[in-house]
Amino acid sequence: MRDDVIVLPRALKHGLSEDDIRCAWRNAKAIRRRNFDIPCIYAAAGPDKAGNLVELLLAEQEDGGFIVYHAMKLTRKMANALDL
């Protein structure tokens, strides 16, 4: 589930690298489904390469892969939503 991920350029706008985003997804500490529509949207949080917690928003693809469209330093709001 965590290997097939596409990182959109707009996910990089908060200064994280694609490697940091992939690391956070591979090592996610919490993942929650946010809806049951298509595409399914997931929120996740995990550490980047430096160990800083990062929040991610992803859309699930039909083939089971994921597209990351948002990534930034973990906010308190997202931490609460993920029960972290």
Side-chain angles (χ1 to χ4, degrees):
M1 172 175 156
R2 295 190 189 174
D3 293 331
D4 192 11
V5 64
I6 296 169
V7 179
L8 295 181
R10 72 186 209 184
L12 306 173
K13 75 177 186 177
H14 293 289
L16 294 169
S17 71
E18 193 168 323
D19 287 340
D20 282 331
I21 293 169
R22 290 180 187 280
C23 182
W25 177 238
R26 273 192 314 273
N27 299 296
K29 304 295 181 197
I31 301 171
R32 298 284 187 275
R33 191 174 189 164
R34 295 188 73 171
N35 71 344
F36 291 94
D37 299 327
I38 296 174
C40 294
I41 304 298
Y42 289 83
D48 63 11
K49 294 187 325 182
N52 303 306
L53 285 177
V54 172
E55 69 181 52
L56 307 171
L57 290 178
L58 309 96
E60 186 174 17
Q61 301 179 86
E62 288 183 16
D63 66 2
F66 290 87
I67 297 174
V68 179
Y69 62 89
H70 168 81
M72 64 184 284
K73 178 182 171 185
L74 182 65
T75 61
R76 182 168 302 192
K77 181 178 177 180
M78 184 65 80
N80 289 338
L82 294 170
D83 294 325
L84 293 175

